[in-house]
Amino acid sequence: MVREQYTTTAPGTSLERPKNEYVYKIGIYGWRKRCLYLFVLLLLIILVVNFSLTIWILKVMWFSPTGMGHLRVTKEGLRLEGESEFLFPLYAKEIHSRVDSSLLLQSTHNVTVNARNSNGEVTGRLNVGPKMVEFHGQQFQINSKDGKPLFTVDENEVVIGTDKLRVTGPEGALFEHSVETPLVKAEAFKQLRLESPTRSLSMDAPRGINIKAQAGNIEALSQMDIKLHSSDGVLLLDAETVRLPKLPEGTRGGSSISQGLYEICVCPDGKLYLSVAGMGSTCQEYSHGCQ
């Protein structure tokens, strides 16, 4: 510690001041001062660079009081103008386009839309891939603009609610099981064919089956038998001409001379055959083929 001494003198006397043995300089001098100025200058440069970068980012990203770039914040939510690219999943309650444009969802791999419940479990999923469109859920339904169900699919059945179902493929429609419909109809000037290549074809109706061709023929082909069975009613063939071109001719013990007139006869087992017409019935004479 430095002690300062004070000396008092009387008037008229002079004393020499003692020389200060220690001298203190107040302030920063030398290399410390230069370092301090350099540090302040560096801070100013960093401040100017940060401010310039902030202005540049605000200008490039189009920040404004209403949003950022094509993103606008409105009372109804967020509004994106133009094309937008999302690198991660997007969670939204509702996505819709403008009134005068369509909504396009595009991806290089696939587009997946998930619906979740309150527990976070996926209850429905729509996956649009490069080769197929998959839907996972309890029920899939397509409605018209009026809210009428047009197409409904669940685990038990497929319901088509339109007035008409049109199959335009060249091979038609293939059903592995039964089909229930009130009407099967071909397009105008097109043929209608019902075919079962390896199994049987059955048509059942509680009140009747009506097969009608307004401008053509009805043809039934079978490799084995064609059976027309009526349990309570009759079999009615109502036409101007009924032809049986390959009906066999019955035989009898002796020779017979035919004049081109024949009689249709029936065997006990239902088989039809022809017999040469005579003055009376000749079915008994030509019934050797029934044995």
Side-chain angles (χ1 to χ4, degrees), residues 139-172:
Q139 188 179 25
F140 178 76
Q141 184 171 338
I142 300 177
N143 298 331
S144 64
K145 61 180 182 180
D146 300 331
K148 179 182 177 181
L150 301 179
F151 185 77
T152 305
V153 180
D154 56 17
E155 296 181 357
N156 299 323
E157 61 181 1
V158 177
V159 179
I160 299 176
T162 57
D163 297 334
K164 182 185 298 184
L165 174 63
R166 177 178 296 179
V167 180
T168 59
E171 298 295 332

Side-chain angles (χ1 to χ4, degrees), residues 8 15 27 47 118 126 134 151 153 184 207 211 230 242 244 249-250 253 268 278:
T8 59
L15 295 175
L47 180 62
S118 58
L126 178 62
E134 296 180 349
F151 185 77
V153 180
V184 178
R207 293 188 177 181
I211 302 176
S230 177
V242 178
L244 301 174
E249 183 178 351

Side-chain angles (χ1 to χ4, degrees), residues 4-18:
E4 295 182 358
Q5 296 180 356
Y6 296 91
T7 305
T8 59
T9 58
T13 60
S14 61
L15 295 175
E16 294 181 1
R17 292 181 176 272

Side-chain angles (χ1 to χ4, degrees), residues 77-94:
L78 297 179
R79 178 179 178 180
L80 285 173
E81 297 180 356
E83 297 183 0
S84 303
E85 182 177 357
F86 299 93
L87 302 179
F88 297 97
L90 175 64
Y91 298 91
K93 181 180 179 180
E94 181 180 356

Side-chain angles (χ1 to χ4, degrees), residues 124-253:
R125 175 178 298 172
L126 178 62
N127 187 1
V128 181
K131 295 184 179 180
M132 67 174 60
V133 178
E134 296 180 349
F135 173 78
H136 301 272
Q138 297 181 356
Q139 188 179 25
F140 178 76
Q141 184 171 338
I142 300 177
N143 298 331
S144 64
K145 61 180 182 180
D146 300 331
K148 179 182 177 181
L150 301 179
F151 185 77
T152 305
V153 180
D154 56 17
E155 296 181 357
N156 299 323
E157 61 181 1
V158 177
V159 179
I160 299 176
T162 57
D163 297 334
K164 182 185 298 184
L165 174 63
R166 177 178 296 179
V167 180
T168 59
E171 298 295 332
L174 176 63
F175 302 96
E176 295 183 358
H177 301 285
S178 61
V179 178
E180 182 177 352
T181 177
L183 176 63
V184 178
K185 181 180 179 181
E187 293 184 353
F189 307 103
K190 296 293 182 65
Q191 296 182 357
L192 175 63
R193 185 175 63 182
L194 302 178
E195 181 181 0
S196 179
T198 59
R199 295 293 186 270
S200 61
L201 177 63
S202 176
M203 292 185 293
D204 299 330
R207 293 188 177 181
I209 298 176
N210 185 13
I211 302 176
K212 184 178 181 181
Q214 297 180 352
N217 300 327
I218 297 177
E219 184 177 359
L221 301 177
S222 175
Q223 184 178 359
M224 301 299 290
D225 299 332
I226 296 178
K227 297 181 180 180
L228 301 177
H229 176 71
S230 177
S231 59
D232 296 332
V234 297
L235 180 61
L236 178 63
L237 299 177
D238 186 4
E240 295 181 357
T241 303
V242 178
R243 294 182 179 180
L244 301 174
K246 294 184 180 182
L247 196 63
E249 183 178 351
T251 59
R252 68 175 184 176

Side-chain angles (χ1 to χ4, degrees), residues 55 61 92 94 120 124 129 152 250 272 274 276 287:
I55 298 299
M61 299 300 293
E94 181 180 356
T152 305
L272 298 179
L274 298 178
V276 178
S287 61

